[in-house]
Amino acid sequence: MPRSLRARLLIAFLFVIAAAIGTVAIAVTLVGPGYFTDAMGHLPGDPMGEAMGQATLVAFDDAMRQALVAATVIAVITATVVSPLVAGRIAGPIAALAHAARRIARGQYAERVPADGPGELGELATSFNDMAGSLEATERRRLQLVGDVAHELRTPLTTLDGYLEGLEDGVVTPSAQTWHLLRAETARLTRMVNELSELWRAEANQLPLRIDAVDVGLQSCT
């Protein structure tokens, strides 16, 4: 599991907790005294009530500050304990994806990751597995194509090599039929090379297309 990601998640959690506590502290400081005074119910102009209200308000402020400090300490401790667990659930699947991506980059296209994660992580793992499956199928077709091409090229090359060796040793008579056969084999090789070139251009989206108008109307049968 990448430590940097876990550290960033832990810092993010602490920032969220600090923002929440700061918001609560500001709200309590600004709004709390007014609500507390209204709840005490002291009448305007009552010196005893105002003195008691002022003393009670000071006590209320002290209690709120102590409560906020205690809440901050508890929140930080809770975040320190809970954040690594939450960060592990988030960073774990991401680390698995990164590891699988590195293995696929090395040519191990059968690599897959668990896709049972929650929400977007599960969708990301499913998309990654689909991509890996597509790459594996493409690589399988490529290897099959290379094998087929090697097999198809072997026959005319063997024929050409045999006839040329025979001509060199004087075993084969250089007749018109021999030259015709050799030209046929070279034409076969040329056709296969051209087809491979067309396949490459098609894969690279560089195949020129000729668009013609086609009459798709049904002709009446006579």
Side-chain angles (χ1 to χ4, degrees):
M1 183 182 302
R3 295 181 178 271
S4 59
L5 180 58
R6 293 186 61 180
R8 287 196 296 269
L9 289 174
L10 179 59
I11 293 173
F13 291 144
L14 292 177
F15 270 118
V16 171
I17 292 174
I21 293 176
T23 303
V24 172
I26 293 174
V28 170
T29 303
L30 295 177
V31 180
Y35 282 117
F36 181 75
T37 302
D38 293 339
M40 292 298 294
H42 296 303
L43 296 176
D46 185 2
M48 183 62 67
E50 291 180 359
M52 292 179 60
Q54 188 65 29
T56 307
L57 184 60
V58 172
F60 171 78
D61 291 337
D62 292 339
M64 288 303 303
R65 280 194 293 269
Q66 294 176 5
L68 288 174
V69 171
T72 301
V73 173
I74 295 173
V76 170
I77 295 175
T78 304
T80 304
V81 175
V82 176
S83 295
L85 301 177
V86 178
R89 289 182 60 85
I90 297 175
I94 296 176
L97 284 171
H99 179 69
R102 287 192 295 269
R103 292 175 64 87
I104 288 179
R106 292 195 296 265
Q108 301 176 5
Y109 297 105
E111 188 72 20
R112 298 293 185 274
V113 295
D116 53 354
E120 288 78 5
L121 288 176
E123 295 178 3
L124 178 61
T126 301
S127 300
F128 180 88
N129 290 336
D130 293 341
M131 179 198 69
S134 178
L135 290 174
E136 184 181 15
T138 301
E139 180 66 11
R140 190 183 304 114
R141 289 193 298 268
R142 187 186 69 83
L143 293 176
Q144 183 178 358
L145 175 63
V146 171
D148 293 342
V149 169
H151 177 74
E152 292 295 329
L153 289 175
R154 188 177 294 112
T155 300
L157 288 175
T158 302
T159 302
L160 287 172
D161 183 69
Y163 271 90
L164 291 174
E165 184 179 359
L167 289 170
E168 183 181 10
D169 295 339
V171 178
V172 178
T173 303
S175 61
Q177 182 180 1
T178 302
W179 300 123
H180 177 73
L181 188 146
L182 293 176
R183 287 293 303 276
E185 293 300 326
T186 56
R188 182 180 178 184
L189 288 173
T190 301
R191 184 178 64 255
M192 294 177 62
V193 171
N194 290 335
E195 290 176 353
L196 287 175
S197 179
E198 291 290 325
L199 178 60
W200 175 84
R201 284 198 293 267
E203 290 289 336
N205 295 324
Q206 297 181 0
L207 187 65
L209 299 177
R210 188 182 66 183
I211 301 176
D212 295 331
V214 178
D215 185 8
V216 296
L218 298 177
Q219 301 293 332
S220 59
C221 297
T222 55

